[in-house]
Amino acid sequence: MLFILTGDVQTGKSRWLERTLAELAGDGVEARGVVAPGVWRRREPGEPAEGRPLGSGQGDYEKLGIDNVLLPQGERLSFARRRDLARREGAFDPASQSAAARLAWEIPDEAIDRVNAHFEALARRIAAGEGRPGLLVVDELGRLELERGCGLTSAVDLLDRGPTAVCPHAVVVVRAWLRERAEARFAAAWGGCEPLAPDDAARIAIRSAFGLATLIDNEYH
């Protein structure tokens, strides 16, 4: 089964995913792929939020960037920087894929290459049948992948192959407005898709796919 986890900007998709994957790991289900936690800074007392880019803050916190955590090994790398900060710091590359797409985030092509290499290595292990059945995780696919055919192309290629003995189920994170495009791209290979929101019902659906009993956890309510 392919689960498509959707939600608007800063609805807690990655945090929910990290908690769910930790719970699955406790039950012996290994996640393989990438999760993309945000990099946050707490605003000083009285610091105004006005003038911040849309979606850059949540309450008392300001989002500065995005990391990628490569699974299952847990290696963490810096993946994206807010574009206005990248410009200010001299890290903006007008020739990058993210700049060409006019994204709100500056994603160095070197970071994209590193994550693609991870998915290529993962694809080889899956093809060789290495490991017990686990969950393929792609956090996230966006305009680069689903509209422009660039970005995390190796993750897209792996999803295009559909379920395997090593990764019989997968979860891919997309923005709500890209859900239909993701479904059109991957549904045939996976025999359909199940859309999810980052809530307890989604957690139960993923656990059920692996034959795991439902656990009660107030953290999800």
Side-chain angles (χ1 to χ4, degrees):
M1 171 63 72
L2 176 63
F3 299 100
I4 298 183
L5 181 64
T6 63
D8 292 327
V9 177
Q10 294 179 20
T11 53
K13 299 184 296 297
S14 292
R15 289 190 298 276
W16 176 91
L17 187 56
E18 287 181 306
R19 292 196 301 267
T20 298
L21 297 184
E23 185 181 274
L24 289 172
D27 288 308
V29 176
E30 184 178 73
R32 303 164 180 129
V34 65
V35 292
V39 177
W40 298 84
R41 179 187 74 88
R42 188 179 181 91
R43 295 191 178 105
E44 296 298 326
E47 181 181 351
E50 290 79 13
R52 303 289 186 189
L54 181 64
S56 67
Q58 186 175 48
D60 293 333
Y61 290 86
E62 175 187 7
K63 190 171 185 179
L64 306 179
I66 301 168
D67 284 348
N68 270 192
V69 179
L70 308 182
L71 305 173
Q73 63 265 42
E75 178 185 354
R76 191 178 188 116
L77 58 92
S78 177
F79 186 72
R81 189 72 167 168
R82 221 173 62 209
R83 186 172 60 184
D84 64 311
L85 298 178
R87 285 186 181 276
R88 187 185 311 163
E89 297 159 356
F92 178 75
D93 179 3
S96 68
Q97 297 175 54
S98 57
R102 298 183 178 181
L103 300 185
W105 302 96
E106 169 65 8
I107 307 173
D109 287 350
E110 294 82 1
I112 292 174
D113 290 344
R114 176 67 186 86
V115 179
N116 274 328
H118 171 66
F119 276 104
E120 289 160 11
L122 181 59
R124 291 191 292 271
R125 292 196 295 272
I126 290 173
E130 297 179 8
R132 295 189 300 173
L135 181 68
L136 177 61
V137 180
V138 182
D139 180 14
E140 69 179 283
L141 298 183
R143 288 175 53 205
L144 292 182
E145 295 81 13
L146 297 175
E147 292 188 342
R148 300 176 67 89
C150 58
L152 301 182
T153 54
S154 297
V156 173
D157 290 345
L158 191 51
L159 287 166
D160 278 339
R161 301 179 191 182
T164 65
V166 176
C167 288
H169 308 292
V171 57
V172 57
V173 179
V174 301
R175 300 285 173 83
W177 60 276
L178 284 170
R179 193 193 81 190
E180 291 184 0
R181 190 177 290 266
E183 289 176 346
R185 176 66 187 256
F186 303 119
W190 287 85
C193 303
E194 182 173 346
L196 302 177
D199 56 22
D200 199 48
R203 169 176 157 269
I204 292 170
I206 293 174
R207 290 183 60 81
S208 296
F210 286 96
L212 299 174
T214 299
L215 298 178
I216 302 300
D217 188 340
N218 291 331
E219 186 177 9
Y220 288 83
H221 295 281

